[in-house]
Amino acid sequence: MAAKPTREELEQRIRALEKEAKKLTQAGTELVKSKAMFKAVVEGLPFDVFVLDPDSRYVFQNSICKKNWGNIIGKSPEDLPVNKKTKYLWLDNNRRALSGETVTGEVVYDRLDGGKNFFHNIIVPICDGKKILGIVGVLVDISDFKQTEALLRESESKLSAMLSSIGDHMSMMDKNLNIIWANEIAGEIFGNDIIGKKCYEVYHKRTEPCEPYPCITLRVFQDGKIHKHDTQVIGQDGKTIFFHCTANVGLRDKEGKPTAVLEISSDITEKVRAEKALHTAKNELEYRVRERTGELELKTKNLEEINTAMKVLLKKRQEDKAEIENNVMTNVKKLVVPYFEKIKKAELDDRQEAFLSIIESNLNEIISPFTRQMSLKYLNLTPTEIRIANLIRHGSPSKKIAELMNVSPRTIDTHRKNMRRKIGLQGQRGNLRSYLLSFH
């Protein structure tokens, strides 16, 4: 399938046709007299060629015209199967040409099927001096070109909409670093008069290309690859802006070599400022940590010294405590216990014996860890409960304990239940006295 002609090629053809039409006008009379020669000239042309006489009847058509419109020889435009609009246009063009005017331009002919054909129209009068012998017409079908042009406009519209939706700065430079295109964002930042200026002048306020040389734009021209870097520019308001730039090939020539480089730049000013603030905060924090660490090290050293002193004091306290306990135990055994033995041999009633037993038992507790262990392990026991636990441990029944404490046996039973619950024996069959005897 043959490639569609470009607009430039069509324009060249049209200019050539206009020149040819002038030649046909100059030689119109001779060509009419010599139809064979005229036919030989135009038969091979790839577009419609036709001739009308002064009465607007077709007297000649080439093969392309016959293929497109059928055999129209001897007919007038009014006889052809076209709609009224197209027919009126044809008749008006013919009238103008028969009055001596050369008619050219793009026209649209509506087809019977509702479609449209686009043509470049040339209608030239054939003159013999001042006398008009007829007209010669040329129709170049440019429908495919118009369709391509419409698609191109649609593509350009979509591309423009896409580029407008991108919030980044975009610009295109040639090999000499001249800005040849820029989007609206670039215009807002650097001004609307930047086209044609050097990129390093506009963006960096420099008189020479940026360092290190070559810049990423020139490197793309050299190797055709994508290059990136972070840089800072100066806007038209004089403020510094930080950009992350990506440079890539924008346009290529027929050999595939870059002819323009597109730069897309994202504003990273806030990010850079945040990083700087974070770096400053980090340095300040590290300084404070070092300062605080020094203070903690000094305090730790002081605490270690205090701890050492406390250990010495605690050790001395334990030694003093042990010495006191030994002295108490020795004194009780040597100075008190012998008198208990003598009192026991005396005649005492039951109540006196009970009290003596309690005094002896409590003295024994003074030199034993039971009461202290009960207090430490079961901190929720009341002082009364600890006293009752001590009597139970020594085998006193509830009735005797009640007499000694001047309470009812029922009260002692309630205390026993509370103690079993607090020490974890509630609901179990374990003996309370046996459990209390386990404390030495």
Side-chain angles (χ1 to χ4, degrees):
M1 183 176 177
K4 295 178 181 179
T6 64
R7 183 181 183 90
E8 184 178 355
E9 291 172 340
L10 286 173
E11 290 176 350
Q12 290 176 351
R13 290 183 185 180
I14 290 167
R15 288 193 292 271
L17 286 174
E18 290 177 347
K19 291 181 181 180
E20 189 65 27
K22 291 180 181 180
K23 292 180 181 179
L24 291 174
T25 302
Q26 295 172 358
T29 304
E30 288 78 5
L31 290 175
V32 171
K33 292 178 180 179
S34 180
K35 290 183 179 181
M37 184 181 296
F38 178 79
K39 183 177 181 180
V41 172
V42 300
E43 190 61 39
L45 296 176
F47 38 79
D48 296 3
V49 179
F50 54 86
V51 177
L52 291 87
D53 63 16
D55 297 325
S56 289
R57 289 191 176 275
Y58 294 101
V59 295
F60 173 82
Q61 68 178 142
N62 67 352
S63 57
I64 295 296
C65 181
K66 187 174 183 179
K67 177 181 178 181
N68 292 336
W69 305 98
N71 188 0
I72 60 175
I73 301 301
K75 298 178 180 180
S76 68
E78 295 176 338
D79 300 327
L80 299 184
V82 294
N83 59 37
K84 291 182 179 180
K85 183 178 179 180
T86 299
K87 191 173 295 185
Y88 173 81
L89 182 60
W90 282 358
L91 291 172
D92 184 63
N93 286 342
N94 292 345
R95 177 188 59 77
R96 291 166 59 191
L98 288 172
S99 66
E101 182 182 351
T102 298
V103 182
T104 63
E106 291 185 4
V107 292
V108 181
Y109 294 150
D110 295 326
R111 301 194 305 268
L112 293 178
D113 61 4
K116 296 181 182 294
N117 280 94
F118 296 85
F119 291 94
H120 187 80
N121 190 36
I122 304 173
I123 308 295
V124 181
I126 302 173
C127 303
D128 182 10
K130 294 183 179 182
K131 184 180 180 180
I132 297 177
L133 303 177
I135 58 176
V136 60
V138 176
L139 287 177
V140 180
D141 191 342
I142 57 172
S143 298
D144 291 342
F145 168 74
K146 283 294 183 181
Q147 184 179 4
T148 302
E149 190 178 53
L151 292 174
L152 181 60
R153 281 197 299 270
E154 182 180 356
S155 298
E156 289 176 345
S157 177
K158 290 180 180 178
L159 178 61
S160 177
M162 181 183 69
L163 293 177
S164 298
S165 66
I166 298 176
D168 292 333
H169 162 278
M170 301 175 67
S171 59
M172 194 175 292
M173 278 71 69
D174 62 16
K175 292 183 177 180
N176 296 318
L177 300 180
N178 296 309
I179 302 172
I180 59 177
W181 174 86
N183 66 351
E184 293 182 3
I185 300 296
E188 292 174 3
I189 299 174
F190 300 102
N192 296 318
D193 59 344
I194 62 176
I195 304 301
K197 296 181 179 179
K198 302 291 185 183
C199 60
Y200 52 83
E201 293 177 351
V202 173
Y203 303 147
H204 303 284
K205 303 299 184 283
R206 295 173 58 94
T207 57
E208 297 179 353
C210 299
E211 299 293 340
Y213 186 88
C215 64
I216 61 171
T217 302
L218 293 176
R219 276 187 274 166
V220 174
F221 278 114
Q222 292 174 355
D223 58 23
K225 298 179 180 179
I226 297 175
H227 293 278
K228 301 178 181 181
H229 76 160
D230 290 343
T231 186
Q232 60 186 66
V233 297
I234 303 174
Q236 60 179 337
D237 56 2
K239 294 182 178 179
T240 298
I241 305 171
F242 293 89
F243 275 160
H244 175 72
C245 299
T246 301
N248 194 9
V249 177
L251 298 172
R252 298 179 185 270
D253 59 19
K254 294 180 180 180
E255 298 177 354
K257 296 181 179 180
T259 59
V261 169
L262 176 67
E263 272 195 15
I264 302 177
S265 302
S266 301
D267 190 337
I268 58 171
T269 304
E270 293 301 322
K271 176 185 174 183
V272 171
R273 288 174 180 170
E275 289 177 347
K276 287 184 177 179
L278 183 62
H279 183 70
T280 301
K282 179 185 176 184
N283 289 340
E284 184 177 350
L285 180 60
E286 288 177 349
Y287 172 77
R288 290 183 179 179
V289 168
R290 289 193 298 269
E291 187 178 53
R292 184 60 176 164
T293 300
E295 293 175 358
L296 290 175
E297 288 175 351
L298 180 60
K299 289 182 178 180
T300 300
K301 185 177 180 180
N302 292 336
L303 286 174
E304 289 175 351
E305 293 176 355
I306 293 172
N307 188 39
T308 301
M310 288 296 294
K311 287 180 179 179
V312 172
L313 290 175
L314 287 173
K315 183 178 180 182
K316 183 69 170 66
R317 183 177 180 278
Q318 292 293 335
E319 292 173 351
D320 292 344
K321 180 181 176 182
E323 184 179 355
I324 291 171
E325 289 178 350
N326 289 332
N327 290 337
V328 170
M329 186 180 299
T330 301
N331 291 333
V332 169
K333 287 181 178 181
K334 290 182 177 182
L335 302 177
V336 178
V337 172
Y339 291 100
F340 273 105
E341 295 298 328
K342 291 179 179 181
I343 294 173
K344 285 180 182 180
K345 294 177 180 179
E347 293 183 0
L348 300 174
D349 56 29
D350 292 340
R351 187 176 182 83
Q352 291 173 337
E353 287 181 358
F355 282 124
L356 182 63
S357 177
I358 291 172
I359 293 172
E360 184 181 14
S361 175
N362 287 335
L363 282 174
N364 288 331
E365 290 301 330
I366 292 174
I367 59 176
S368 73
F370 172 76
T371 303
R372 185 172 67 254
Q373 288 182 13
M374 287 293 293
S375 299
L376 291 176
K377 186 168 184 180
Y378 300 105
L379 296 177
N380 57 345
L381 291 180
T382 65
T384 299
E385 289 171 345
I386 294 176
R387 288 172 59 197
I388 293 172
N390 188 30
L391 293 171
I392 293 171
R393 178 171 173 266
H394 286 89
S396 299
S398 296
K399 184 177 180 180
K400 186 175 181 180
I401 296 173
E403 291 176 357
L404 293 173
M405 298 187 70
N406 287 325
V407 296
S408 66
R410 188 174 181 180
T411 301
I412 300 301
D413 290 340
T414 301
H415 282 299
R416 292 174 71 100
K417 289 179 181 179
N418 290 336
M419 285 189 291
R420 290 180 68 87
R421 175 176 56 81
K422 291 180 179 180
I423 65 179
L425 292 178
Q426 187 177 16
Q428 299 183 21
R429 302 180 68 178
N431 184 274
L432 179 59
R433 183 169 181 265
S434 298
Y435 183 83
L436 296 175
L437 287 171
S438 64
F439 289 90
H440 298 292

